[in-house]
Amino acid sequence: MYAPICCDRARLVLLAIACAVPLVLVATPSSAAISMSTNRGCMLANCHGTPGGDRTLPDGSRGSAHVDEGELESSAHRGLACLECHTDIVAIPHEAALSSVNCEACHYESNPRGAPNIDQFRQYEESIHGERAREGDPKAPRCSTCHGQHNIKGKKAKDSRVHRQNEPSTCGECHDEQASEFQEGVHGTDLATGNLDVPSCVTCHGIHRIRPHTDPESPVHESHIAETCSSCHGAVTIADKYDFSVKRVETYAGSFHGFASKFGVTSVANCASCHGIHRILPHTDERSQVHPSNLGATCGQRDCHPKAVAGFASGQVHLGVAAPAPLGVRLIRVLYIVLIAGIIGGMLLHNAFDLAAQVRRRKSAAGPEA
Amino acid sequence: MAHHRHVSQVPAGIDAAVRLTGNERIQHAIMFIAFTLLAISGFMTHLPRAWVRVLGLASPAVFEFRGDLHRVCGIALCVVGIYHVAYLLGTRRGRWQLRELLPRKRDWLDFVATMRYYRRPSEHPQPEYGWYNYAEKAEYWALVWGTFIMAVTGFILWLEEYSPKIVIDVSAVVHRYEALLAVLAVFVWHFYHVHLSPEVFPMSPVWLTGREASGTHEHASKG
């Protein structure tokens, strides 16, 4: 009887030790911290280590909780421990519904780790995205919506979600219609070939402080379109490289549309009214709003010149840019300059003669008396 | 020049001492106000963007008001212009003024004599001009021509949807430069003769009283 008892006790102890080891490794905070500082604890096969699986996800659904460790290690955050971002994990297994990562915990001004920061949180908060997030809109983008999560990379990396070339697809996840229009346009097709001189989404709309186009603060508000487009189309360096003329911006400013827009009138045409918004195409493209065959319809838009006669929209628009201005216009300009110089010059001369004669006559009249 | 006039043969019933009757002074006043407002509301479109902001004009309401004012004044100038034509043809004084305003050979001779006088005032006397001297006649006909040009191009630009683009473009250039010419002519020519010339400085009272200031050497004889 003795031996079996002894045997049973030994077996119990062994069983207890066998059970305790994984419990200690996994469940106690101290041991968890040790293993998770190298992410090994999180990357266990049945947790985040392998694709597939059936786990409760933060939104309550069930599916794979896989985190691609290779992706994380090639990201800007390589070498960081899971817990450095997921700071609300205090025990394993952790709650399914973790709170969102607080990027500001590292990316604040003069942070000791040297995490990039250019006061962009403040800018985000002023944006329409930040505004919607504060209102509790579940669709409102947060940092990771645009920058990515475990695959986060600096904007210069070609496979970064915020690399210039990837903006249409990143922004297009929400703004799909605008993104596909952009990709059909000349800017989009050029961007797709890797040309980084062309504007991407943020070039015109702004980056973190993005505002809706209806906000007068937005660079794409009607009152700022000409300014925004001219930052490239009025720049000699870019114009020379791509062989277009900066004079288009000048001729717009000198037109009635330009005069009115200078005073803040938004009902007149700006660049986008004629050239299109996201799908901007060259005037040689038949689909372009400014192709000669479409100009009549473009100028004749309901809110613009619906009663215009056929010839209203035929001929040069930005006078003297692509070709010399019409002969009539040039002749009259020269004629008037000559006329004004001659007539006003003659008048000034005549005035000077008359004044001199009057002065001399007064002097000679006053002379004998003195 | 304003003080050297010699008019023979003033028809009976016309007071040659009156340069501008009340009616004519009202015509001048309407034209003067309309012209000034037209020039301001027209040329303000050319203000640099920064000035528009600094002057507090960067508002659509300002621009709309500017446009309405420009069109109202344009119509006022047309109306007073048409009235003026009727006045010239329909009244005895008007018909006489029109005859006096027509260019004639004597204007050229006056001009040559004036140039001679300007060159050696001691040797050549200043000529006696007619009721209107050549400077006034030139200004008058420039005003008639200019008003006509501005009205025609102004209406083309106003009713732009009814014209082909080339007509609009030409009208815009003409309207712009003719306006510049008109404003410069007023400042250089008209202001000299009615304000800056020592004969009238600081201002000829004709546009207010209808008569030259006392002490002017005006020679008028009825014939």
Side-chain angles (χ1 to χ4, degrees):
Chain A
M1 284 300 284
Y2 197 72
I5 295 165
C6 173
C7 235
D8 281 347
R9 284 174 81 180
R11 265 196 301 186
L12 266 172
V13 170
L14 277 173
L15 191 65
I17 291 168
C19 292
V21 167
L23 274 176
V24 164
L25 274 177
V26 176
T28 65
S30 60
S31 61
I34 291 160
S35 64
M36 282 188 295
S37 68
T38 59
N39 292 346
R40 251 185 290 134
C42 305
M43 295 302 176
L44 289 175
N46 57 352
C47 294
H48 301 290
T50 48
D54 179 38
R55 308 193 71 89
T56 308
L57 299 175
D59 61 2
S61 65
R62 293 189 70 82
S64 170
H66 176 232
V67 174
D68 186 338
E69 206 176 359
E71 194 177 74
L72 180 66
E73 283 311 309
S74 66
S75 80
H77 287 165
R78 67 185 154 273
L80 289 190
C82 303
L83 286 193
E84 289 185 82
C85 296
H86 297 284
T87 50
D88 53 339
I89 296 174
V90 291
I92 298 292
H94 61 77
E95 296 286 327
L98 291 180
S99 57
S100 299
V101 166
N102 176 17
C103 304
E104 205 173 357
C106 292
H107 293 270
Y108 59 89
E109 215 176 327
S110 29
N111 64 79
R113 329 176 56 127
N117 177 273
I118 40 172
D119 201 21
Q120 303 201 325
F121 297 100
R122 301 287 94 76
Q123 293 185 6
Y124 167 79
E125 278 160 22
E126 290 164 20
S127 75
I128 182 66
H129 291 153
E131 221 169 75
R132 290 280 164 82
R134 271 201 304 285
E135 286 165 9
D137 185 341
K139 284 197 246 164
R142 303 177 48 83
C143 309
S144 60
T145 318
C146 302
H147 289 273
Q149 299 175 327
H150 298 110
N151 60 348
I152 195 161
K153 280 184 181 170
K155 65 180 177 189
K156 298 240 168 80
K158 276 212 132 188
D159 53 347
S160 164
R161 283 172 57 81
V162 293
H163 182 267
R164 292 277 305 282
Q165 242 181 303
N166 299 330
E167 278 171 31
S169 64
T170 300
C171 300
E173 285 171 11
C174 297
H175 305 278
D176 51 339
E177 203 179 303
Q178 289 81 354
S180 57
E181 278 177 16
F182 172 82
Q183 282 161 322
E184 285 173 40
V186 68
H187 293 148
T189 45
D190 267 19
L191 185 67
T193 65
N195 184 347
L196 297 185
D197 285 341
V198 293
S200 56
C201 310
V202 304
T203 320
C204 303
H205 290 274
I207 309 178
H208 290 97
R209 195 189 275 123
I210 199 162
R211 297 295 308 163
H213 71 89
T214 47
D215 184 329
E217 297 271 301
S218 165
V220 292
H221 182 257
E222 291 161 310
S223 59
H224 297 303
I225 285 281
E227 255 170 274
T228 300
C229 297
S230 64
S231 61
C232 291
H233 287 271
V236 179
T237 43
I238 297 177
D240 280 354
K241 189 166 171 187
Y242 295 97
D243 199 25
F244 63 72
S245 172
V246 293
K247 274 195 185 160
R248 285 198 177 80
V249 177
E250 286 169 32
T251 54
Y252 171 76
S255 74
F256 190 80
H257 292 152
F259 293 158
S261 85
K262 191 163 60 184
F263 283 78
V265 177
T266 53
S267 55
V268 290
N270 56 48
C271 313
S273 317
C274 305
H275 292 275
I277 303 173
H278 294 105
R279 202 184 72 154
I280 295 169
L281 292 163
H283 67 94
T284 46
D285 189 313
E286 279 185 4
R287 296 169 301 159
S288 167
Q289 281 175 241
V290 291
H291 184 268
S293 63
N294 300 330
L295 263 185
T298 301
C299 300
Q301 290 176 61
R302 194 167 47 82
D303 297 330
C304 300
H305 305 284
K307 285 182 286 180
V309 295
F312 179 78
S314 62
Q316 280 187 50
V317 178
H318 295 279
L319 280 192
V321 175
L327 187 67
V329 173
R330 275 181 295 155
L331 266 181
I332 283 164
R333 199 177 283 152
V334 171
L335 190 72
Y336 263 109
I337 289 169
V338 171
L339 260 179
I340 290 172
I343 291 175
I344 303 299
M347 286 173 170
L348 284 168
L349 217 57
H350 193 282
N351 289 352
F353 289 159
D354 189 75
L355 192 64
Q358 286 194 55
V359 169
R360 268 189 285 178
R361 197 170 56 194
R362 286 197 178 202
K363 267 189 189 162
S364 65
E369 288 168 28
Chain B
M1 294 179 83
H3 296 168
H4 291 261
R5 304 185 197 280
H6 183 83
V7 191
S8 53
Q9 292 183 333
V10 176
I14 287 168
D15 185 356
V18 176
R19 284 296 288 168
L20 290 174
T21 62
N23 180 311
E24 290 155 12
R25 296 203 295 275
I26 291 171
Q27 289 182 46
H28 174 266
I30 294 172
M31 182 189 68
F32 159 67
I33 294 167
F35 183 94
T36 307
L37 293 177
L38 278 165
I40 293 170
S41 58
F43 280 113
M44 74 185 274
T45 59
H46 287 266
L47 279 175
R49 184 178 285 268
W51 286 41
V52 170
R53 254 176 234 167
V54 168
L55 296 173
L57 300 172
S59 129
V62 168
F63 193 79
E64 293 301 319
F65 176 71
R66 178 216 67 85
D68 292 340
L69 184 69
H70 198 75
R71 286 179 281 267
V72 166
C73 290
I75 287 175
L77 197 54
C78 289
V79 168
V80 80
I82 291 164
Y83 173 82
H84 179 70
V85 172
Y87 177 84
L88 282 188
L89 301 175
T91 67
R92 182 196 291 248
R93 189 177 156 92
R95 283 192 293 272
W96 170 67
Q97 284 175 316
L98 180 58
R99 269 198 306 279
E100 290 294 324
L101 279 165
L102 291 174
R104 59 191 77 169
K105 195 183 170 191
R106 183 177 153 193
D107 296 319
W108 172 250
L109 298 176
D110 282 352
F111 173 74
V112 173
T114 306
M115 290 300 119
R116 222 174 265 143
Y117 155 71
Y118 285 158
R119 198 152 153 255
R120 293 191 203 287
S122 52
E123 292 167 29
H124 303 281
Q126 185 162 21
E128 296 280 311
Y129 307 103
W131 179 248
Y132 298 112
N133 62 45
Y134 65 86
E136 289 163 335
K137 286 188 182 186
E139 185 180 340
Y140 177 82
W141 291 110
L143 172 70
V144 170
W145 174 243
T147 305
F148 178 74
I149 294 275
M150 293 304 280
V152 169
T153 53
F155 277 109
I156 289 172
L157 293 172
W158 186 351
L159 307 168
E160 58 181 358
E161 297 186 350
Y162 301 99
S163 300
K165 189 158 189 310
I166 182 70
V167 175
I168 299 166
D169 289 339
V170 167
S171 299
V173 176
V174 170
H175 202 77
R176 197 172 291 181
Y177 281 99
E178 183 65 37
L180 186 62
L181 178 59
V183 168
L184 284 173
V186 165
F187 275 112
V188 172
W189 198 237
H190 192 62
F191 275 29
Y192 178 78
H193 291 288
V194 301
H195 289 292
L196 299 175
S197 167
E199 284 180 310
V200 294
F201 189 84
M203 185 179 79
S204 161
V206 171
W207 74 293
L208 297 173
T209 65
R211 290 163 191 269
E212 305 275 14
S214 59
T216 59
H217 318 289
E218 188 163 319
H219 307 278
S221 63
K222 295 191 179 182

